[in-house]
Amino acid sequence: MNPPEMYRVVRALPVLILGLLLNGCGGDKMADLHDFVAQEKARQKGAIEPLPAIKPYETFAYDANGLRDPFEPMDFGQSILAASGSGGGLAPDLNRPKEALEGYPLDSLRMVGILQRGGAIEALIKTQDGTVHRVKTGNYLGQNNGKITLVAEDKVELTEIVSDGAGAWLERQASVALSE
């Protein structure tokens, strides 16, 4: 063989080997895949339900003419308060000095005991930070202007003066019970 013929044989050899390798990859190994594809194509197609009908959107035109502005405070006026009887001069004394236990919410205070000296009974009130204070009838307690009206062996009763939200003040009864 002369060199140009040999050169052609060497160039054709990789193509021949590649063809033999690809031929070896085929065969029965792909038969199950072809069967599966044929079965899936032969199956009946499922029916797709139609889309539901779209209801038209009903628009609403908001007209605020003649209505009260919701961001302005309500003005009940003095005549309404006088007619309801809630304006009757009841108000907390804002000029008196605040006592130590008026800085705590009432539900954070606990009665832990009593002291009796002579005929007077004093209650021992414990704050969240562990400080114990002595209180008696007439002292103030809690953040709602609560004035102590009774110190008993098992509880402290007080009358709070709270705002009704409309500019008037209301009295309500509250108590702090002896905790175990």
Side-chain angles (χ1 to χ4, degrees):
M1 253 196 211
N2 59 18
E5 287 177 15
M6 183 105 143
Y7 181 68
R8 276 190 244 157
V9 170
V10 170
R11 280 184 59 196
L13 190 61
V15 174
L16 181 65
I17 293 172
L18 184 62
L20 290 173
L21 286 173
L22 287 177
N23 189 27
C25 290
D28 292 334
K29 293 180 182 178
M30 301 292 274
D32 59 342
L33 179 61
H34 292 295
D35 291 341
F36 175 75
V37 171
Q39 287 175 356
E40 288 299 313
K41 286 183 179 179
R43 282 180 42 187
Q44 287 204 356
K45 308 291 188 258
I48 298 176
E49 296 179 20
L51 293 175
I54 298 175
K55 297 178 184 176
Y57 177 72
E58 296 180 26
T59 59
F60 176 77
Y62 179 73
D63 185 19
N65 291 334
L67 297 176
R68 184 183 69 80
D69 183 1
F71 300 105
E72 291 294 322
M74 295 178 91
D75 183 24
F76 289 106
Q78 293 296 346
S79 60
I80 296 174
L81 290 177
S84 67
S86 59
L90 179 66
D93 183 8
L94 301 176
N95 294 327
R96 70 172 174 76
K98 296 284 186 182
E99 295 184 17
L101 292 176
E102 288 185 90
Y104 298 94
L106 198 58
D107 61 350
S108 71
L109 301 175
R110 302 283 177 246
M111 180 178 173
V112 293
I114 60 167
L115 292 175
Q116 189 169 4
R117 286 201 248 171
I121 297 177
E122 295 179 342
L124 299 175
I125 303 292
K126 186 175 183 179
T127 62
Q128 286 179 330
D129 59 5
T131 308
V132 177
H133 297 267
R134 291 185 340 199
V135 295
K136 60 186 177 194
T137 304
N139 286 127
Y140 287 85
L141 199 63
Q143 295 176 328
N144 293 321
N145 305 300
K147 186 174 184 178
I148 298 175
T149 57
L150 173 71
V151 177
E153 291 183 11
D154 59 342
K155 66 182 172 182
V156 174
E157 292 183 359
L158 53 133
T159 302
E160 294 181 316
I161 301 175
V162 294
S163 173
D164 69 351
W169 298 92
L170 302 171
E171 280 188 349
R172 72 176 178 196
Q173 302 301 316
S175 65
V176 177
L178 181 65
S179 59
E180 298 176 16

